[in-house]
């Protein structure tokens, strides 16, 4: 933007501001709106203030109590002010009349720290005798340097000279013929006497404070006050109430009221905790927690009036009962997850058993339990299903267990042979199985199953009695159930030599000369 265009904008803004002031003063609303709109289009900084003509014209005598941090004296001062005077103007007046720099002044009016832009009228000052408080800071606390103070004094002195010159230029002065003075004889001025350094006054001893000084507004508070009475700033953490302090009657009443309020708060808090505990106990008696507020189901988006929905206990998400029931029925997992999901979050909480039982009918719940059992069996690594036809019984076996007695059909299953063979041991059953396999389809299928295990390396023949044995889990040491021979699974031979346990002349000879019997050996001893 060029300087010419900026000059035109400022000139137009000045005219608009002057016209806007007249429009507001005359109460012309339409003109005020038009001028304000045009002035806002120029985007120039504007300051709006109330003219001094709007305030009462009379001056009042303001009572000012002055105190500082170094003196015990409370000095009352009367100052003549106008109601439209701002705090900044009042500071300048005190600085001009009494020499206290504006940075050193803190004005408190009506127990509130006054700001520079506020007027005396805004603080409720109306008539003669109204009281205010002035606290004088030290130069160190106000961070006022001697150089800055000298500059401000020179600036005030220059302003007073300029004001005097302007007043003289406005008056009528008679014309006087000037006569040239006689030429002055040059004289040597007498020597100046040496400057005597001013006597340094000893510093005043610090005033013993019966309270704590606010770090924000410097107001001196009573020792027991937890916060500043003027600005609300918290009491310094390191401050401790003196043991010899005796609060006055007003402070004692405040402390009693504060203690009573704290007791009432603690009592209300305890009552609320008791109500919450009783509500929790009542909620625990219900299998399904109803919603207390009206919400929308996040699945079907139907509104749920209070009491018609369900709130899940683990995650507190609310749904309608039909959507939760559909989630359970269509679940293909043993645990039903919360169906809540959005673009940023998917809930992983699980529905509790009592919630599922409450949402399903008896028949649906029974089917759900059967599905759970089926899923658990299929996912278990060491599960064995009863070989009785149509029997739902199954178990999870351990390495040293070789038989499973089904409690549903009362049959005893051989886990090694994966069959039921009453009154026969494993060898007799396997010999009989080879004979029956020629004519019996079921026996042939069992025989083929055993041969498949042998071919796949999942079973082997005992090196002594030739019965089919199988390793279920654990280390590579197994024992034949028929002849009790200890066998090395990885080498498919006896663990020890012909003399039994400890004979390393034969067998797999594992750990002889600290050598494993096979690179894949998993502790066959």
């Amino acid at each position: 933007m060029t300087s010419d265009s900026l000059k035109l904008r400022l000139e137009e803004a000045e005219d608009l501001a002057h016209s806007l002031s007249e429009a507001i003063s005359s109460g012309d609303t339409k003109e005020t709106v038009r001028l304000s709109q045009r002035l806002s289009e120029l985007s120039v900084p504007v300051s709006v203030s109330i003219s001094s003509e709007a305030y009462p014209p009379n001056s009042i005598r303001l009572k000012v109590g002055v105190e500082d941090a170094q003196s015990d004296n409370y000095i009352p001062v009367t100052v003549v002010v106008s109601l439209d005077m701002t705090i900044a103007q009042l500071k300048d007046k005190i600085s001009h009349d009494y020499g206290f720099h504006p940075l050193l002044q803190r004005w408190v009016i009506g127990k509130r720290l006054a700001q520079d832009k506020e007027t005396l009228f805004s603080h409720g000052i109306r008539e003669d005798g109204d009281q205010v408080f002035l606290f004088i800071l030290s130069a160190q606390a106000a961070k006022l340097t001697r150089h800055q103070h000298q500059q401000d004094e020179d600036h005030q002195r220059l302003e007073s000279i300029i004001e005097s010159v302007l007043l003289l230029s406005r008056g009528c002065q008679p014309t006087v013929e000037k006569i040239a003075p006689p030429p002055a004889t040059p004289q040597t001025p007498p020597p100046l006497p040496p400057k005597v350094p001013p006597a340094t006054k000893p510093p005043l001893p610090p005033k013993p404070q019966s309270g704590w000084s606010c770090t924000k507004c410097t107001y001196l508070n009573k020792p027991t006050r937890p916060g500043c009475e003027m600005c609300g700033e918290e009491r310094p953490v390191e401050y401790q109430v003196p043991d010899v302090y005796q609060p006055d009657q007003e402070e004692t009443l405040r402390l009693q009221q504060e203690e009573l309020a704290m007791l009432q708060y603690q009592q209300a808090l305890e009552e609320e905790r008791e109500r919450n505990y009783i509500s929790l106990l009542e909620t625990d008696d219900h299998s399904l927690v109803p919603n207390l507020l009206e919400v929308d189901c996040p699945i079907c988006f139907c509104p749920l009036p209070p009491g018609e929905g369900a709130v899940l206990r683990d995650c507190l998400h609310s749904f309608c009962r039909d959507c939760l029931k559909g989630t359970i029925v269509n679940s293909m997992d043993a645990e039903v997850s919360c169906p809540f999901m959005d673009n940023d979050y998917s809930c992983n909480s699980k529905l509790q058993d009592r919630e599922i039982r409450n949402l399903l009918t008896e028949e649906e719940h029974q089917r759900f339990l059967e599905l759970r059992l089926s899923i658990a069996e299929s996912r278990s690594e060491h599960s064995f299903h009863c070989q009785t036809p149509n029997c739902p019984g199954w178990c999870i076996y351990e390495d040293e267990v070789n038989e499973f007695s089904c409690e549903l059909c009362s049959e005893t299953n051989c886990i090694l042979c994966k069959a039921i063979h009453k009154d026969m041991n494993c060898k007799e059953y396997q010999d009989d199985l080879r004979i029956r396999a020629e004519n019996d389809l079921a026996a042939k299928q069992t025989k083929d199953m055993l041969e498949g295990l042998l071919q796949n390396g999942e079973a082997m023949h005992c090196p002594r009695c030739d019965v089919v044995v199988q390793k279920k889990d654990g280390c590579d040491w197994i024992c034949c159930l028929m002849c009790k021979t200890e066998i090395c699974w990885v080498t498919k031979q006896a663990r020890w030599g012909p003399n039994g346990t400890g004979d390393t002349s034969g067998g797999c000879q594992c750990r002889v000369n600290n050598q494993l019997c096979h690179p894949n050996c998993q502790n066959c001893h």
Side-chain angles (χ1 to χ4, degrees), residues 429-443:
Y429 169 73
Q430 293 177 18
D431 293 340
D432 179 67
L433 186 63
R434 295 188 188 95
I435 298 173
R436 289 188 296 109
E438 298 178 359
N439 298 318
D440 189 347
L441 179 61

Side-chain angles (χ1 to χ4, degrees), residues 457-460 469-471 476 478 487-492:
E458 300 179 23
M460 63 173 286
V469 293
Q470 185 180 10
K471 172 190 164 185
D476 285 338
I478 62 175
I487 304 171
C488 174
W489 174 261
V490 69
T491 60
K492 300 295 191 290

Side-chain angles (χ1 to χ4, degrees), residues 327-341:
T327 301
I328 299 171
V329 172
N330 296 314
S331 175
M332 298 305 295
D333 202 343
E335 292 183 315
V336 183
S337 299
C338 170
F340 181 84
M341 181 185 301

Side-chain angles (χ1 to χ4, degrees), residues 39-82:
L39 189 59
S40 65
E41 293 174 356
L42 296 178
S43 299
V44 295
V46 176
S47 174
V48 180
S49 61
I50 300 177
S51 175
S52 59
E53 299 176 357
Y55 295 93
N58 57 311
S59 299
I60 62 171
R61 301 175 67 83
L62 189 65
K63 289 187 177 181
V64 182
V66 184
E67 185 177 353
D68 63 4
Q70 300 294 329
S71 175
D72 293 332
N73 298 326
Y74 177 86
I75 305 174
V77 176
T78 301
V79 180
V80 178
V81 297
S82 59

Side-chain angles (χ1 to χ4, degrees), residues 189-205:
L192 296 175
K195 291 185 178 180
V196 180
T200 305
K201 295 181 180 180
L204 295 176

Side-chain angles (χ1 to χ4, degrees), residues 245-469:
Y245 174 70
Q246 295 293 334
D248 55 18
Q249 183 177 0
E250 181 182 358
E251 186 67 6
T252 302
L253 178 60
R254 187 194 66 79
L255 292 174
Q256 292 175 352
Q257 292 175 347
E258 184 178 297
E259 183 179 0
L260 178 61
M262 182 58 67
L263 290 176
Q264 293 175 348
Y265 170 75
Q266 294 291 345
Q267 182 179 359
L269 189 62
E270 190 65 28
E271 292 176 355
E272 182 180 3
R273 289 176 178 172
E274 185 176 355
R275 288 195 302 269
N276 292 338
Y277 178 70
I278 295 175
S279 176
L280 179 62
L281 293 180
E282 293 176 350
T283 302
D284 195 61
D285 293 337
H286 300 285
S287 299
L288 202 64
V289 180
N291 60 309
L292 300 179
L293 303 175
E294 182 176 354
V295 295
D296 292 339
C297 175
I299 298 178
C300 63
F301 302 105
C302 294
L304 300 175
E308 294 190 8
V311 181
L312 300 184
R313 296 176 183 271
D314 286 357
C315 58
L316 303 181
H317 287 137
S318 300
F319 303 90
C320 68
R321 297 170 183 259
D322 292 338
C323 289
L324 282 179
K325 180 177 180 180
T327 301
I328 299 171
V329 172
N330 296 314
S331 175
M332 298 305 295
D333 202 343
E335 292 183 315
V336 183
S337 299
C338 170
F340 181 84
M341 181 185 301
D342 58 17
N343 295 331
D344 302 322
Y345 171 72
S346 178
C347 185
N348 295 322
S349 300
K350 308 299 180 183
L351 274 69
Q352 297 185 5
D353 288 342
R354 54 178 170 176
E355 295 173 334
I356 296 175
R357 189 183 307 112
N358 184 275
L359 290 166
L360 301 180
T361 63
E362 188 66 30
E363 181 180 357
E364 291 171 339
H365 187 249
Q366 186 62 34
R367 288 201 301 268
F368 177 75
L369 294 179
E370 293 174 358
L371 174 64
R372 272 186 166 181
L373 287 174
S374 176
I375 294 174
E377 179 182 359
S378 63
R379 293 182 179 178
S380 299
E381 184 178 358
H382 304 297
S383 64
F384 179 84
H385 199 94
C386 179
Q387 298 299 303
T388 302
N390 300 323
C391 179
W394 63 283
C395 72
I396 297 177
Y397 60 85
E398 296 181 356
D399 187 32
E400 64 273 8
V401 177
N402 297 313
E403 290 185 348
F404 162 49
S405 297
C406 181
E407 297 181 356
L408 298 181
C409 64
S410 302
E411 293 289 348
T412 301
N413 294 260
C414 177
I415 298 178
L416 290 174
C417 298
K418 299 189 184 306
I420 299 175
H421 48 79
K422 290 182 180 180
D423 304 325
M424 288 189 294
N425 57 33
C426 294
K427 181 174 177 56
E428 292 172 346
Y429 169 73
Q430 293 177 18
D431 293 340
D432 179 67
L433 186 63
R434 295 188 188 95
I435 298 173
R436 289 188 296 109
E438 298 178 359
N439 298 318
D440 189 347
L441 179 61
K444 184 177 184 306
Q445 290 176 348
T446 305
K447 178 177 176 295
D448 294 340
M449 181 268 297
L450 291 175
E451 290 179 352
L453 292 175
L454 291 170
Q455 293 176 0
N456 295 333
E458 300 179 23
M460 63 173 286
H461 289 288
C462 174
R464 177 168 296 180
C465 67
D466 202 41
V467 72
V468 177
V469 293

Side-chain angles (χ1 to χ4, degrees), residues 5-19:
S5 58
L6 178 61
K7 180 179 179 181
L8 293 175
R9 285 184 58 190
L10 291 177
E11 291 178 354
E12 184 181 359
E14 289 182 350
D15 294 339
L16 288 172
H18 180 70
S19 301

